[in-house]
Amino acid sequence: MITAERKPMDEIMGMIDGCGRILLVGCNECVTVCAAGGRKEVALLAAGLQMASMKKGRALDVREMTLERQCDPEYVEELAPHIDQVDAVVSMACGCGVQEVARRFKKTPVYPALNTKFMGASEGPGIWAERCQGCGDCLLGLTGGICPIARCAKRLMNGPCGGSTNGKCEIGNDVDCAWHLIWERMKELGIEDRYEDVIAAKDWRTGRGNGPRKILREDLA
Amino acid sequence: MKTESVLEKVLASGELAVTGECGPPRGALPEVVQEKAAMLKGYVDAVNVTDNQTAMVRMSSFAASVFLRQMDLHPVFQMVTRDRNRLAIQGDIIGAYSHGINTMLCLSGDHPKFGDHAMAANVHDLDSLQLIQTVRGMRDEGLFQGGAEIKNPPKMFIGAAANPFADPFELRVARLAKKVKAGVDFVQTQCIYNIDKFETWMEGVRERGLHEQVYIMAGVTPMKSAGMARYMKNRVPGIDVPDEMVKRMAGVPKDKQAQEGIDICIESIERLRQIEGVSGFHIMAIEWEEKVPEIVKRAGLYPRPQV
Ligand code: SF4
Ligand code: SF4
């Protein structure tokens, strides 16, 4: 999923300075799962913004909505009846959702309430960790199902650096060394000998190297 | 001989080779490079010139290497994949070669987190192994990584680092084998304090005959004080300083610790040179270049061969 964290209150307050009425829009997908921008977080932020405004001696009208998927035009359309009544939209979706709202409603400013972080997975209650950087040419079949691009701090594709210590990355004890994990997994799968297959320099055109990417599926278009 | 590298010639002659290290200054101070280099002249075959070492901005390895060439020293041009993409890397390699630099070391580099620009984006377009492959392709096939032909391709003698002490230990021989497969000509190891562990690694290296396919230069760093020994033991990832060594350093009075560090370094070289497959020494006397002549002489590595 795409993970995100809420921005500090002051920053959000700064963005909506001068607004009397806002539409605060959550999303029911990834940001709900990572507890950053679902219905519950929308309600919490709405209350927080109103309180902060009151302290400044201003009234703030907050309308709350949570869409099924904010990155999908079909659902974003649900905002249309409300958009003219507000000074701004504050989006609690990931950056994709924020942009979809901005694309649909040309005249109303849209502000992000979240910092979008990474594509990751949950490692336990309240913990999410990065897993994939969307390189567009997945190597996981060669690396035992553990991604060296997203999970090695130096993006090494051919083995651990000289700083790997007791299974941890040289950048800190709270980060697993991706290559330690890959090696352990290769052993479990009995494919240690495959470690010595050199992974050649990557063609980053499948990733960001080629500019903004697009998928076009003729069969669906 | 694959190149004109003096280091290659010494290694190929079968003599124990010696390299030193010159860390460029944090400012436009050519005289600092020249002073350090002058201390090493005549005592080493080649001098590693570090590339934004510890992820701190310094004079570039390329520029400092050119100063060394002007003094008729032989730089080992270090290059990390952290700071440059493949365009910049290859441009610098042909530039360096045009200045008579024919030996280089391919590294991934310390993470920016350790330096003074922790906010920097790290590039890692290639990894250290792919860099080895790239330099080999430039030399042996005369092709850029992208496939186009190079006019007058750079003939670099290709080095890399090897750390027998990092984890997972059991993977460390395979890691070297993989670098050999990618085309490395020589490796310099992380500083060796735990000689027993190094011997175990070398056994594995010999079992696979890797010592016959790549020159292995044993890395040594004299310790200046017990404090430095403790710091290296506890703080530097991938360095293994046994307790006895810290104790030995701490066991002598403060004003004698530096000398003790030099003595340990020389004893280490004496023991390491007995190990089959060790082709030379990489003496990293960090900000202590003036001690290199003493170490080289007392270790019986002086005079350096004329090749
Ligand atoms: S190899 Fe690429 S696509 Fe596969 S997990 Fe890693 S970043 Fe994602
Ligand atoms: S310690 Fe492991 S994860 Fe960290 S940079 Fe080195 S190889 Fe990558």
Side-chain angles (χ1 to χ4, degrees), chain B residues 125-164:
Chain B
D125 176 21
L126 303 175
D127 69 14
S128 49
L129 200 122
Q130 294 158 351
L131 175 56
I132 294 169
Q133 273 190 322
T134 300
V135 187
R136 183 180 63 171
M138 292 173 83
R139 180 186 71 197
D140 297 347
E141 277 132 55
L143 298 176
F144 286 115
Q145 201 274 333
E149 197 179 311
I150 309 173
K151 299 193 183 79
N152 191 26
K155 304 282 182 207
M156 286 284 180
F157 188 50
I158 307 166
N163 188 354

Side-chain angles (χ1 to χ4, degrees), chain A residues 151-154 156 160-161 163-164 168-170 176-179:
Chain A
R151 300 178 70 180
C152 165
K154 297 180 190 168
L156 301 180
C161 76
S164 177
K168 297 297 172 188
C169 173
E170 72 169 29
D176 291 328
C177 168
W179 273 100

Side-chain angles (χ1 to χ4, degrees), chain B residues 52-130:
Chain B
N52 284 342
Q53 192 180 5
T54 61
M56 310 262 279
V57 181
R58 293 162 204 273
M59 182 192 292
S60 71
S61 174
F62 184 169
S65 293
V66 171
F67 283 121
L68 264 65
R69 275 309 296 138
Q70 288 165 353
M71 297 169 71
D72 207 26
L73 276 151
H74 305 290
V76 178
F77 173 42
Q78 293 197 184
M79 181 169 290
V80 298
T81 58
R82 178 195 62 217
D83 302 341
R84 292 175 192 78
N85 72 4
R86 63 191 87 177
L87 277 93
I89 284 176
Q90 295 177 97
D92 278 353
I93 290 171
I94 50 180
Y97 187 68
S98 305
H99 279 282
I101 296 160
N102 51 26
T103 309
M104 64 177 288
L105 199 76
C106 304
L107 305 164
S108 49
D110 296 317
H111 195 272
K113 183 169 180 169
F114 296 104
D116 64 346
H117 286 76
M119 68 300 269
N122 46 17
V123 181
H124 298 302
D125 176 21
L126 303 175
D127 69 14
S128 49
L129 200 122
Q130 294 158 351

